[in-house]
Amino acid sequence: MRPKSVFCFGRRVDVVRVVLGAHDLSNPDSFVQVLTIQESFTHPEYNPTTFQNDLNLLKLNRSANITPSVRNIRLPRNDSDVNPGSSCSVAGWGQVTDFGTLPRALMETDANVISREACNQLWRPNFFDSMLCAASPGPRNKGFCSGDSGGPLVCRMRVEGVVSFSGLFCGDPRTPDVYTRVSAFLPWIQSVINTL
């Protein structure tokens, strides 16, 4: 009998690596940590059509070393929400254009939270209370892009959202970026942690 393959992001977990403390993948610093995934936990009610419950947790093969380059970040309070207009930031290694251009270093941009009512009008019927909406200020299109999925939306030094989906074009203000609202999933996150 063959062992069951465990998948994460559409790939077997034994071929996915978690890289911590990196800023430039082509010129890694000595303090970069590379870990493997021991187990992957997709939310049991994840819907790939509507992206509802779009959350995945990873159990790493070992604990990360906390250093000046690798630190913990707080989770939000249970079922808390982020006020519209709140200034947040999102970071990732995804594409920097709609044409597949990859970044040379970790990218970050500001993102302002948009009201749930406005987002619901723009994304109806695929916007739920377990989601957050944000767009980057300014005249240039900025926001997350293909390859940024799972990245953090950080507001007030807490991970309030996780990159989920957006429109056809990266950073298009007509289709604001949508994030999974982490505070809506704290009981599930805790239940997964309790099984480890």
Side-chain angles (χ1 to χ4, degrees), residues 71-76 82-83 85-92 106-113 132 134 144 150-163 179-180 182:
R71 295 177 291 168
N72 290 324
I73 189 164
R74 293 181 295 171
L75 291 172
V82 184
N83 293 327
S86 294
S87 180
C88 305
S89 65
V90 59
L106 180 65
M107 303 299 288
E108 181 179 5
T109 189
D110 296 331
N112 294 340
V113 173
L132 283 172
F144 62 69
L153 177 71
V154 178
C155 314
R156 304 176 312 244
M157 300 302 293
R158 294 179 187 272
V159 179
E160 295 284 355
V162 174
V163 170
Y179 301 81
T180 299
V182 174

PDB file of all heavy atoms in Angstrom, residues 71-76 82-83 85-92 106-113 132 134 144 150-163 179-180 182:
ATOM      1  N   ARG A  71      10.196  37.086  12.889  1.00  0.00           N
ATOM      2  CA  ARG A  71       9.498  37.381  14.145  1.00  0.00           C
ATOM      3  C   ARG A  71       8.056  36.892  14.087  1.00  0.00           C
ATOM      4  O   ARG A  71       7.510  36.667  13.015  1.00  0.00           O
ATOM      5  CB  ARG A  71       9.506  38.888  14.411  1.00  0.00           C
ATOM      6  CG  ARG A  71      10.911  39.435  14.647  1.00  0.00           C
ATOM      7  CD  ARG A  71      10.895  40.915  14.823  1.00  0.00           C
ATOM      8  NE  ARG A  71      10.546  41.535  13.539  1.00  0.00           N
ATOM      9  CZ  ARG A  71      10.218  42.792  13.380  1.00  0.00           C
ATOM     10  NH1 ARG A  71      10.166  43.589  14.401  1.00  0.00           N
ATOM     11  NH2 ARG A  71       9.928  43.266  12.182  1.00  0.00           N
ATOM     12  N   ASN A  72       7.455  36.754  15.257  1.00  0.00           N
ATOM     13  CA  ASN A  72       6.034  36.433  15.355  1.00  0.00           C
ATOM     14  C   ASN A  72       5.218  37.684  15.061  1.00  0.00           C
ATOM     15  O   ASN A  72       5.710  38.805  15.227  1.00  0.00           O
ATOM     16  CB  ASN A  72       5.685  35.960  16.771  1.00  0.00           C
ATOM     17  CG  ASN A  72       6.274  34.604  17.083  1.00  0.00           C
ATOM     18  OD1 ASN A  72       6.352  33.747  16.216  1.00  0.00           O
ATOM     19  ND2 ASN A  72       6.671  34.403  18.322  1.00  0.00           N
ATOM     20  N   ILE A  73       3.978  37.483  14.647  1.00  0.00           N
ATOM     21  CA  ILE A  73       3.037  38.588  14.516  1.00  0.00           C
ATOM     22  C   ILE A  73       1.732  38.144  15.156  1.00  0.00           C
ATOM     23  O   ILE A  73       1.387  36.954  15.136  1.00  0.00           O
ATOM     24  CB  ILE A  73       2.850  39.010  13.043  1.00  0.00           C
ATOM     25  CG1 ILE A  73       2.052  40.296  12.967  1.00  0.00           C
ATOM     26  CG2 ILE A  73       2.225  37.889  12.237  1.00  0.00           C
ATOM     27  CD1 ILE A  73       2.151  40.987  11.619  1.00  0.00           C
ATOM     28  N   ARG A  74       1.041  39.087  15.760  1.00  0.00           N
ATOM     29  CA  ARG A  74      -0.173  38.749  16.501  1.00  0.00           C
ATOM     30  C   ARG A  74      -1.343  38.450  15.564  1.00  0.00           C
ATOM     31  O   ARG A  74      -1.444  39.003  14.474  1.00  0.00           O
ATOM     32  CB  ARG A  74      -0.561  39.909  17.418  1.00  0.00           C
ATOM     33  CG  ARG A  74       0.444  40.138  18.531  1.00  0.00           C
ATOM     34  CD  ARG A  74       0.020  41.258  19.427  1.00  0.00           C
ATOM     35  NE  ARG A  74       0.026  42.511  18.653  1.00  0.00           N
ATOM     36  CZ  ARG A  74      -0.447  43.661  19.082  1.00  0.00           C
ATOM     37  NH1 ARG A  74      -0.994  43.746  20.282  1.00  0.00           N
ATOM     38  NH2 ARG A  74      -0.400  44.736  18.335  1.00  0.00           N
ATOM     39  N   LEU A  75      -2.228  37.585  16.047  1.00  0.00           N
ATOM     40  CA  LEU A  75      -3.501  37.342  15.389  1.00  0.00           C
ATOM     41  C   LEU A  75      -4.493  38.395  15.863  1.00  0.00           C
ATOM     42  O   LEU A  75      -4.299  39.006  16.922  1.00  0.00           O
ATOM     43  CB  LEU A  75      -4.015  35.938  15.731  1.00  0.00           C
ATOM     44  CG  LEU A  75      -3.225  34.771  15.148  1.00  0.00           C
ATOM     45  CD1 LEU A  75      -3.734  33.448  15.735  1.00  0.00           C
ATOM     46  CD2 LEU A  75      -3.325  34.751  13.637  1.00  0.00           C
ATOM     47  N   PRO A  76      -5.578  38.608  15.137  1.00  0.00           N
ATOM     48  CA  PRO A  76      -6.583  39.569  15.588  1.00  0.00           C
ATOM     49  C   PRO A  76      -7.381  39.016  16.758  1.00  0.00           C
ATOM     50  O   PRO A  76      -7.271  37.837  17.102  1.00  0.00           O
ATOM     51  CB  PRO A  76      -7.473  39.753  14.362  1.00  0.00           C
ATOM     52  CG  PRO A  76      -7.313  38.496  13.595  1.00  0.00           C
ATOM     53  CD  PRO A  76      -5.911  38.021  13.847  1.00  0.00           C
ATOM     54  N   VAL A  82     -12.038  45.161  10.850  1.00  0.00           N
ATOM     55  CA  VAL A  82     -11.171  46.306  10.570  1.00  0.00           C
ATOM     56  C   VAL A  82     -12.055  47.411  10.005  1.00  0.00           C
ATOM     57  O   VAL A  82     -12.836  47.183   9.084  1.00  0.00           O
ATOM     58  CB  VAL A  82     -10.060  45.935   9.564  1.00  0.00           C
ATOM     59  CG1 VAL A  82      -9.123  47.094   9.355  1.00  0.00           C
ATOM     60  CG2 VAL A  82      -9.300  44.709  10.044  1.00  0.00           C
ATOM     61  N   ASN A  83     -11.950  48.599  10.567  1.00  0.00           N
ATOM     62  CA  ASN A  83     -12.788  49.717  10.131  1.00  0.00           C
ATOM     63  C   ASN A  83     -12.451  50.148   8.714  1.00  0.00           C
ATOM     64  O   ASN A  83     -11.274  50.186   8.336  1.00  0.00           O
ATOM     65  CB  ASN A  83     -12.623  50.909  11.073  1.00  0.00           C
ATOM     66  CG  ASN A  83     -13.168  50.631  12.452  1.00  0.00           C
ATOM     67  OD1 ASN A  83     -14.141  49.904  12.606  1.00  0.00           O
ATOM     68  ND2 ASN A  83     -12.544  51.201  13.464  1.00  0.00           N
ATOM     69  N   GLY A  85     -11.387  52.399   5.752  1.00  0.00           N
ATOM     70  CA  GLY A  85     -10.426  53.495   5.762  1.00  0.00           C
ATOM     71  C   GLY A  85      -9.149  53.179   6.518  1.00  0.00           C
ATOM     72  O   GLY A  85      -8.184  53.937   6.445  1.00  0.00           O
ATOM     73  N   SER A  86      -9.133  52.061   7.270  1.00  0.00           N
ATOM     74  CA  SER A  86      -7.919  51.679   8.001  1.00  0.00           C
ATOM     75  C   SER A  86      -6.774  51.456   7.028  1.00  0.00           C
ATOM     76  O   SER A  86      -6.954  50.843   5.976  1.00  0.00           O
ATOM     77  CB  SER A  86      -8.150  50.403   8.808  1.00  0.00           C
ATOM     78  OG  SER A  86      -9.089  50.608   9.823  1.00  0.00           O
ATOM     79  N   SER A  87      -5.598  51.937   7.402  1.00  0.00           N
ATOM     80  CA  SER A  87      -4.413  51.773   6.573  1.00  0.00           C
ATOM     81  C   SER A  87      -3.700  50.481   6.967  1.00  0.00           C
ATOM     82  O   SER A  87      -3.367  50.284   8.135  1.00  0.00           O
ATOM     83  CB  SER A  87      -3.488  52.975   6.747  1.00  0.00           C
ATOM     84  OG  SER A  87      -2.343  52.808   5.947  1.00  0.00           O
ATOM     85  N   CYS A  88      -3.483  49.622   5.999  1.00  0.00           N
ATOM     86  CA  CYS A  88      -2.837  48.333   6.227  1.00  0.00           C
ATOM     87  C   CYS A  88      -1.724  48.165   5.200  1.00  0.00           C
ATOM     88  O   CYS A  88      -1.467  49.052   4.397  1.00  0.00           O
ATOM     89  CB  CYS A  88      -3.858  47.205   6.087  1.00  0.00           C
ATOM     90  SG  CYS A  88      -5.319  47.379   7.135  1.00  0.00           S
ATOM     91  N   SER A  89      -1.070  47.020   5.214  1.00  0.00           N
ATOM     92  CA  SER A  89      -0.058  46.721   4.196  1.00  0.00           C
ATOM     93  C   SER A  89      -0.160  45.257   3.818  1.00  0.00           C
ATOM     94  O   SER A  89      -0.605  44.423   4.602  1.00  0.00           O
ATOM     95  CB  SER A  89       1.346  47.045   4.694  1.00  0.00           C
ATOM     96  OG  SER A  89       1.694  46.203   5.771  1.00  0.00           O
ATOM     97  N   VAL A  90       0.234  44.957   2.578  1.00  0.00           N
ATOM     98  CA  VAL A  90       0.241  43.583   2.088  1.00  0.00           C
ATOM     99  C   VAL A  90       1.597  43.334   1.431  1.00  0.00           C
ATOM    100  O   VAL A  90       2.161  44.229   0.800  1.00  0.00           O
ATOM    101  CB  VAL A  90      -0.923  43.317   1.105  1.00  0.00           C
ATOM    102  CG1 VAL A  90      -0.865  44.233  -0.100  1.00  0.00           C
ATOM    103  CG2 VAL A  90      -0.963  41.854   0.678  1.00  0.00           C
ATOM    104  N   ALA A  91       2.136  42.137   1.633  1.00  0.00           N
ATOM    105  CA  ALA A  91       3.449  41.808   1.071  1.00  0.00           C
ATOM    106  C   ALA A  91       3.387  40.451   0.390  1.00  0.00           C
ATOM    107  O   ALA A  91       2.565  39.600   0.742  1.00  0.00           O
ATOM    108  CB  ALA A  91       4.507  41.792   2.174  1.00  0.00           C
ATOM    109  N   GLY A  92       4.261  40.264  -0.596  1.00  0.00           N
ATOM    110  CA  GLY A  92       4.297  38.966  -1.259  1.00  0.00           C
ATOM    111  C   GLY A  92       5.367  38.867  -2.322  1.00  0.00           C
ATOM    112  O   GLY A  92       6.039  39.840  -2.663  1.00  0.00           O
ATOM    113  N   LEU A 106      11.185  40.849  -2.182  1.00  0.00           N
ATOM    114  CA  LEU A 106       9.876  40.852  -1.554  1.00  0.00           C
ATOM    115  C   LEU A 106       9.222  42.209  -1.778  1.00  0.00           C
ATOM    116  O   LEU A 106       9.836  43.252  -1.566  1.00  0.00           O
ATOM    117  CB  LEU A 106      10.025  40.584  -0.054  1.00  0.00           C
ATOM    118  CG  LEU A 106       8.738  40.545   0.764  1.00  0.00           C
ATOM    119  CD1 LEU A 106       7.863  39.372   0.343  1.00  0.00           C
ATOM    120  CD2 LEU A 106       9.074  40.438   2.250  1.00  0.00           C
ATOM    121  N   MET A 107       7.974  42.191  -2.237  1.00  0.00           N
ATOM    122  CA  MET A 107       7.255  43.429  -2.535  1.00  0.00           C
ATOM    123  C   MET A 107       6.232  43.719  -1.439  1.00  0.00           C
ATOM    124  O   MET A 107       5.682  42.797  -0.834  1.00  0.00           O
ATOM    125  CB  MET A 107       6.548  43.328  -3.891  1.00  0.00           C
ATOM    126  CG  MET A 107       7.479  43.020  -5.056  1.00  0.00           C
ATOM    127  SD  MET A 107       8.753  44.259  -5.319  1.00  0.00           S
ATOM    128  CE  MET A 107       7.782  45.589  -5.971  1.00  0.00           C
ATOM    129  N   GLU A 108       5.976  45.022  -1.214  1.00  0.00           N
ATOM    130  CA  GLU A 108       5.004  45.447  -0.210  1.00  0.00           C
ATOM    131  C   GLU A 108       4.315  46.706  -0.700  1.00  0.00           C
ATOM    132  O   GLU A 108       4.922  47.545  -1.372  1.00  0.00           O
ATOM    133  CB  GLU A 108       5.702  45.718   1.122  1.00  0.00           C
ATOM    134  CG  GLU A 108       4.768  46.147   2.227  1.00  0.00           C
ATOM    135  CD  GLU A 108       5.482  46.377   3.552  1.00  0.00           C
ATOM    136  OE1 GLU A 108       6.721  46.295   3.587  1.00  0.00           O
ATOM    137  OE2 GLU A 108       4.788  46.656   4.547  1.00  0.00           O
ATOM    138  N   THR A 109       3.031  46.850  -0.370  1.00  0.00           N
ATOM    139  CA  THR A 109       2.304  48.071  -0.706  1.00  0.00           C
ATOM    140  C   THR A 109       1.278  48.368   0.377  1.00  0.00           C
ATOM    141  O   THR A 109       0.881  47.472   1.130  1.00  0.00           O
ATOM    142  CB  THR A 109       1.614  47.967  -2.089  1.00  0.00           C
ATOM    143  OG1 THR A 109       1.109  49.254  -2.460  1.00  0.00           O
ATOM    144  CG2 THR A 109       0.489  46.962  -2.093  1.00  0.00           C
ATOM    145  N   ASP A 110       0.872  49.633   0.436  1.00  0.00           N
ATOM    146  CA  ASP A 110      -0.200  50.032   1.345  1.00  0.00           C
ATOM    147  C   ASP A 110      -1.524  49.541   0.787  1.00  0.00           C
ATOM    148  O   ASP A 110      -1.697  49.406  -0.428  1.00  0.00           O
ATOM    149  CB  ASP A 110      -0.253  51.558   1.489  1.00  0.00           C
ATOM    150  CG  ASP A 110       1.009  52.107   2.119  1.00  0.00           C
ATOM    151  OD1 ASP A 110       1.637  51.385   2.914  1.00  0.00           O
ATOM    152  OD2 ASP A 110       1.360  53.255   1.815  1.00  0.00           O
ATOM    153  N   ALA A 111      -2.481  49.324   1.666  1.00  0.00           N
ATOM    154  CA  ALA A 111      -3.824  48.917   1.263  1.00  0.00           C
ATOM    155  C   ALA A 111      -4.809  49.497   2.269  1.00  0.00           C
ATOM    156  O   ALA A 111      -4.646  49.295   3.474  1.00  0.00           O
ATOM    157  CB  ALA A 111      -3.934  47.402   1.219  1.00  0.00           C
ATOM    158  N   ASN A 112      -5.800  50.238   1.781  1.00  0.00           N
ATOM    159  CA  ASN A 112      -6.831  50.804   2.648  1.00  0.00           C
ATOM    160  C   ASN A 112      -8.080  49.940   2.607  1.00  0.00           C
ATOM    161  O   ASN A 112      -8.553  49.581   1.529  1.00  0.00           O
ATOM    162  CB  ASN A 112      -7.174  52.233   2.209  1.00  0.00           C
ATOM    163  CG  ASN A 112      -6.010  53.179   2.415  1.00  0.00           C
ATOM    164  OD1 ASN A 112      -5.102  52.909   3.196  1.00  0.00           O
ATOM    165  ND2 ASN A 112      -6.016  54.284   1.715  1.00  0.00           N
ATOM    166  N   VAL A 113      -8.596  49.622   3.793  1.00  0.00           N
ATOM    167  CA  VAL A 113      -9.782  48.766   3.889  1.00  0.00           C
ATOM    168  C   VAL A 113     -10.993  49.523   3.352  1.00  0.00           C
ATOM    169  O   VAL A 113     -11.177  50.708   3.608  1.00  0.00           O
ATOM    170  CB  VAL A 113     -10.003  48.315   5.349  1.00  0.00           C
ATOM    171  CG1 VAL A 113     -11.318  47.560   5.500  1.00  0.00           C
ATOM    172  CG2 VAL A 113      -8.836  47.449   5.801  1.00  0.00           C
ATOM    173  N   LEU A 132     -12.544  40.445   3.845  1.00  0.00           N
ATOM    174  CA  LEU A 132     -12.213  41.870   3.919  1.00  0.00           C
ATOM    175  C   LEU A 132     -11.883  42.341   2.514  1.00  0.00           C
ATOM    176  O   LEU A 132     -11.397  41.567   1.696  1.00  0.00           O
ATOM    177  CB  LEU A 132     -10.959  42.099   4.771  1.00  0.00           C
ATOM    178  CG  LEU A 132     -11.056  42.029   6.273  1.00  0.00           C
ATOM    179  CD1 LEU A 132      -9.650  42.089   6.873  1.00  0.00           C
ATOM    180  CD2 LEU A 132     -11.885  43.172   6.799  1.00  0.00           C
ATOM    181  N   ALA A 134      -9.868  45.536   0.276  1.00  0.00           N
ATOM    182  CA  ALA A 134      -8.928  46.653   0.383  1.00  0.00           C
ATOM    183  C   ALA A 134      -8.405  47.021  -0.996  1.00  0.00           C
ATOM    184  O   ALA A 134      -8.396  46.210  -1.917  1.00  0.00           O
ATOM    185  CB  ALA A 134      -7.761  46.289   1.306  1.00  0.00           C
ATOM    186  N   PHE A 144      -2.193  43.161  -4.673  1.00  0.00           N
ATOM    187  CA  PHE A 144      -1.587  41.847  -4.853  1.00  0.00           C
ATOM    188  C   PHE A 144      -1.836  41.337  -6.259  1.00  0.00           C
ATOM    189  O   PHE A 144      -2.644  41.882  -7.004  1.00  0.00           O
ATOM    190  CB  PHE A 144      -2.013  40.864  -3.760  1.00  0.00           C
ATOM    191  CG  PHE A 144      -3.484  40.537  -3.676  1.00  0.00           C
ATOM    192  CD1 PHE A 144      -4.105  39.793  -4.662  1.00  0.00           C
ATOM    193  CD2 PHE A 144      -4.225  40.926  -2.582  1.00  0.00           C
ATOM    194  CE1 PHE A 144      -5.436  39.449  -4.567  1.00  0.00           C
ATOM    195  CE2 PHE A 144      -5.563  40.588  -2.466  1.00  0.00           C
ATOM    196  CZ  PHE A 144      -6.169  39.854  -3.467  1.00  0.00           C
ATOM    197  N   GLY A 150      -2.263  33.756  -0.037  1.00  0.00           N
ATOM    198  CA  GLY A 150      -1.819  33.338   1.289  1.00  0.00           C
ATOM    199  C   GLY A 150      -0.981  34.371   2.002  1.00  0.00           C
ATOM    200  O   GLY A 150      -0.652  34.196   3.173  1.00  0.00           O
ATOM    201  N   GLY A 151      -0.638  35.473   1.320  1.00  0.00           N
ATOM    202  CA  GLY A 151       0.149  36.532   1.944  1.00  0.00           C
ATOM    203  C   GLY A 151      -0.657  37.293   2.983  1.00  0.00           C
ATOM    204  O   GLY A 151      -1.884  37.279   2.980  1.00  0.00           O
ATOM    205  N   PRO A 152       0.022  38.011   3.888  1.00  0.00           N
ATOM    206  CA  PRO A 152      -0.674  38.676   4.989  1.00  0.00           C
ATOM    207  C   PRO A 152      -1.122  40.100   4.663  1.00  0.00           C
ATOM    208  O   PRO A 152      -0.413  40.866   4.027  1.00  0.00           O
ATOM    209  CB  PRO A 152       0.409  38.723   6.071  1.00  0.00           C
ATOM    210  CG  PRO A 152       1.686  38.878   5.283  1.00  0.00           C
ATOM    211  CD  PRO A 152       1.480  38.081   4.018  1.00  0.00           C
ATOM    212  N   LEU A 153      -2.320  40.438   5.122  1.00  0.00           N
ATOM    213  CA  LEU A 153      -2.770  41.826   5.198  1.00  0.00           C
ATOM    214  C   LEU A 153      -2.574  42.223   6.653  1.00  0.00           C
ATOM    215  O   LEU A 153      -3.235  41.683   7.546  1.00  0.00           O
ATOM    216  CB  LEU A 153      -4.243  41.969   4.801  1.00  0.00           C
ATOM    217  CG  LEU A 153      -4.807  43.389   4.915  1.00  0.00           C
ATOM    218  CD1 LEU A 153      -4.222  44.291   3.820  1.00  0.00           C
ATOM    219  CD2 LEU A 153      -6.328  43.385   4.853  1.00  0.00           C
ATOM    220  N   VAL A 154      -1.635  43.137   6.896  1.00  0.00           N
ATOM    221  CA  VAL A 154      -1.272  43.513   8.261  1.00  0.00           C
ATOM    222  C   VAL A 154      -1.848  44.889   8.569  1.00  0.00           C
ATOM    223  O   VAL A 154      -1.591  45.853   7.850  1.00  0.00           O
ATOM    224  CB  VAL A 154       0.263  43.510   8.441  1.00  0.00           C
ATOM    225  CG1 VAL A 154       0.644  43.957   9.844  1.00  0.00           C
ATOM    226  CG2 VAL A 154       0.826  42.123   8.151  1.00  0.00           C
ATOM    227  N   CYS A 155      -2.638  44.950   9.635  1.00  0.00           N
ATOM    228  CA  CYS A 155      -3.239  46.196  10.105  1.00  0.00           C
ATOM    229  C   CYS A 155      -2.979  46.292  11.607  1.00  0.00           C
ATOM    230  O   CYS A 155      -3.238  45.331  12.336  1.00  0.00           O
ATOM    231  CB  CYS A 155      -4.744  46.215   9.871  1.00  0.00           C
ATOM    232  SG  CYS A 155      -5.298  45.684   8.235  1.00  0.00           S
ATOM    233  N   ARG A 156      -2.471  47.406  12.062  1.00  0.00           N
ATOM    234  CA  ARG A 156      -2.217  47.620  13.502  1.00  0.00           C
ATOM    235  C   ARG A 156      -1.369  46.491  14.094  1.00  0.00           C
ATOM    236  O   ARG A 156      -1.629  45.993  15.180  1.00  0.00           O
ATOM    237  CB  ARG A 156      -3.532  47.755  14.264  1.00  0.00           C
ATOM    238  CG  ARG A 156      -4.464  48.829  13.762  1.00  0.00           C
ATOM    239  CD  ARG A 156      -5.779  48.811  14.518  1.00  0.00           C
ATOM    240  NE  ARG A 156      -6.328  47.472  14.598  1.00  0.00           N
ATOM    241  CZ  ARG A 156      -7.461  47.087  14.050  1.00  0.00           C
ATOM    242  NH1 ARG A 156      -8.175  47.924  13.348  1.00  0.00           N
ATOM    243  NH2 ARG A 156      -7.900  45.862  14.196  1.00  0.00           N
ATOM    244  N   MET A 157      -0.369  46.046  13.324  1.00  0.00           N
ATOM    245  CA  MET A 157       0.566  45.002  13.777  1.00  0.00           C
ATOM    246  C   MET A 157      -0.119  43.662  14.057  1.00  0.00           C
ATOM    247  O   MET A 157       0.347  42.866  14.873  1.00  0.00           O
ATOM    248  CB  MET A 157       1.347  45.464  15.009  1.00  0.00           C
ATOM    249  CG  MET A 157       2.180  46.710  14.774  1.00  0.00           C
ATOM    250  SD  MET A 157       3.371  46.513  13.434  1.00  0.00           S
ATOM    251  CE  MET A 157       4.484  45.304  14.154  1.00  0.00           C
ATOM    252  N   ARG A 158      -1.232  43.414  13.345  1.00  0.00           N
ATOM    253  CA  ARG A 158      -1.917  42.125  13.449  1.00  0.00           C
ATOM    254  C   ARG A 158      -2.208  41.605  12.042  1.00  0.00           C
ATOM    255  O   ARG A 158      -2.466  42.381  11.132  1.00  0.00           O
ATOM    256  CB  ARG A 158      -3.248  42.254  14.199  1.00  0.00           C
ATOM    257  CG  ARG A 158      -3.106  42.629  15.656  1.00  0.00           C
ATOM    258  CD  ARG A 158      -4.486  42.746  16.312  1.00  0.00           C
ATOM    259  NE  ARG A 158      -4.387  43.266  17.654  1.00  0.00           N
ATOM    260  CZ  ARG A 158      -4.205  42.537  18.747  1.00  0.00           C
ATOM    261  NH1 ARG A 158      -4.101  41.230  18.634  1.00  0.00           N
ATOM    262  NH2 ARG A 158      -4.120  43.091  19.930  1.00  0.00           N
ATOM    263  N   VAL A 159      -2.207  40.282  11.867  1.00  0.00           N
ATOM    264  CA  VAL A 159      -2.576  39.686  10.588  1.00  0.00           C
ATOM    265  C   VAL A 159      -4.097  39.638  10.536  1.00  0.00           C
ATOM    266  O   VAL A 159      -4.723  38.744  11.097  1.00  0.00           O
ATOM    267  CB  VAL A 159      -1.999  38.263  10.418  1.00  0.00           C
ATOM    268  CG1 VAL A 159      -2.427  37.677   9.080  1.00  0.00           C
ATOM    269  CG2 VAL A 159      -0.500  38.283  10.511  1.00  0.00           C
ATOM    270  N   GLU A 160      -4.686  40.634   9.891  1.00  0.00           N
ATOM    271  CA  GLU A 160      -6.144  40.721   9.821  1.00  0.00           C
ATOM    272  C   GLU A 160      -6.709  39.974   8.615  1.00  0.00           C
ATOM    273  O   GLU A 160      -7.858  39.564   8.628  1.00  0.00           O
ATOM    274  CB  GLU A 160      -6.587  42.188   9.766  1.00  0.00           C
ATOM    275  CG  GLU A 160      -6.257  42.982  11.015  1.00  0.00           C
ATOM    276  CD  GLU A 160      -7.180  42.689  12.190  1.00  0.00           C
ATOM    277  OE1 GLU A 160      -8.156  41.935  12.031  1.00  0.00           O
ATOM    278  OE2 GLU A 160      -6.914  43.221  13.291  1.00  0.00           O
ATOM    279  N   GLY A 161      -5.904  39.826   7.564  1.00  0.00           N
ATOM    280  CA  GLY A 161      -6.400  39.170   6.365  1.00  0.00           C
ATOM    281  C   GLY A 161      -5.349  38.309   5.707  1.00  0.00           C
ATOM    282  O   GLY A 161      -4.152  38.431   5.980  1.00  0.00           O
ATOM    283  N   VAL A 162      -5.827  37.425   4.829  1.00  0.00           N
ATOM    284  CA  VAL A 162      -4.959  36.566   4.031  1.00  0.00           C
ATOM    285  C   VAL A 162      -5.389  36.736   2.571  1.00  0.00           C
ATOM    286  O   VAL A 162      -6.583  36.638   2.251  1.00  0.00           O
ATOM    287  CB  VAL A 162      -5.093  35.079   4.464  1.00  0.00           C
ATOM    288  CG1 VAL A 162      -4.303  34.168   3.547  1.00  0.00           C
ATOM    289  CG2 VAL A 162      -4.635  34.903   5.908  1.00  0.00           C
ATOM    290  N   VAL A 163      -4.428  37.000   1.686  1.00  0.00           N
ATOM    291  CA  VAL A 163      -4.716  37.226   0.269  1.00  0.00           C
ATOM    292  C   VAL A 163      -5.562  36.082  -0.281  1.00  0.00           C
ATOM    293  O   VAL A 163      -5.194  34.908  -0.162  1.00  0.00           O
ATOM    294  CB  VAL A 163      -3.402  37.347  -0.534  1.00  0.00           C
ATOM    295  CG1 VAL A 163      -3.678  37.331  -2.040  1.00  0.00           C
ATOM    296  CG2 VAL A 163      -2.640  38.607  -0.141  1.00  0.00           C
ATOM    297  N   TYR A 179      -9.629  39.616   0.797  1.00  0.00           N
ATOM    298  CA  TYR A 179      -8.840  38.844   1.750  1.00  0.00           C
ATOM    299  C   TYR A 179      -9.761  37.995   2.620  1.00  0.00           C
ATOM    300  O   TYR A 179     -10.875  38.399   2.935  1.00  0.00           O
ATOM    301  CB  TYR A 179      -8.053  39.783   2.676  1.00  0.00           C
ATOM    302  CG  TYR A 179      -7.105  40.708   1.974  1.00  0.00           C
ATOM    303  CD1 TYR A 179      -7.554  41.883   1.371  1.00  0.00           C
ATOM    304  CD2 TYR A 179      -5.746  40.417   1.915  1.00  0.00           C
ATOM    305  CE1 TYR A 179      -6.676  42.738   0.726  1.00  0.00           C
ATOM    306  CE2 TYR A 179      -4.861  41.272   1.272  1.00  0.00           C
ATOM    307  CZ  TYR A 179      -5.333  42.433   0.679  1.00  0.00           C
ATOM    308  OH  TYR A 179      -4.468  43.269   0.043  1.00  0.00           O
ATOM    309  N   THR A 180      -9.281  36.850   3.042  1.00  0.00           N
ATOM    310  CA  THR A 180      -9.974  36.071   4.064  1.00  0.00           C
ATOM    311  C   THR A 180      -9.787  36.800   5.392  1.00  0.00           C
ATOM    312  O   THR A 180      -8.664  37.164   5.746  1.00  0.00           O
ATOM    313  CB  THR A 180      -9.381  34.655   4.151  1.00  0.00           C
ATOM    314  OG1 THR A 180      -9.548  34.010   2.875  1.00  0.00           O
ATOM    315  CG2 THR A 180     -10.047  33.833   5.229  1.00  0.00           C
ATOM    316  N   VAL A 182      -9.210  36.891   8.955  1.00  0.00           N
ATOM    317  CA  VAL A 182      -8.637  35.913   9.889  1.00  0.00           C
ATOM    318  C   VAL A 182      -9.455  35.793  11.168  1.00  0.00           C
ATOM    319  O   VAL A 182      -9.656  34.690  11.690  1.00  0.00           O
ATOM    320  CB  VAL A 182      -7.162  36.268  10.208  1.00  0.00           C
ATOM    321  CG1 VAL A 182      -6.597  35.355  11.284  1.00  0.00           C
ATOM    322  CG2 VAL A 182      -6.317  36.191   8.941  1.00  0.00           C
TER     323      VAL A 182
END
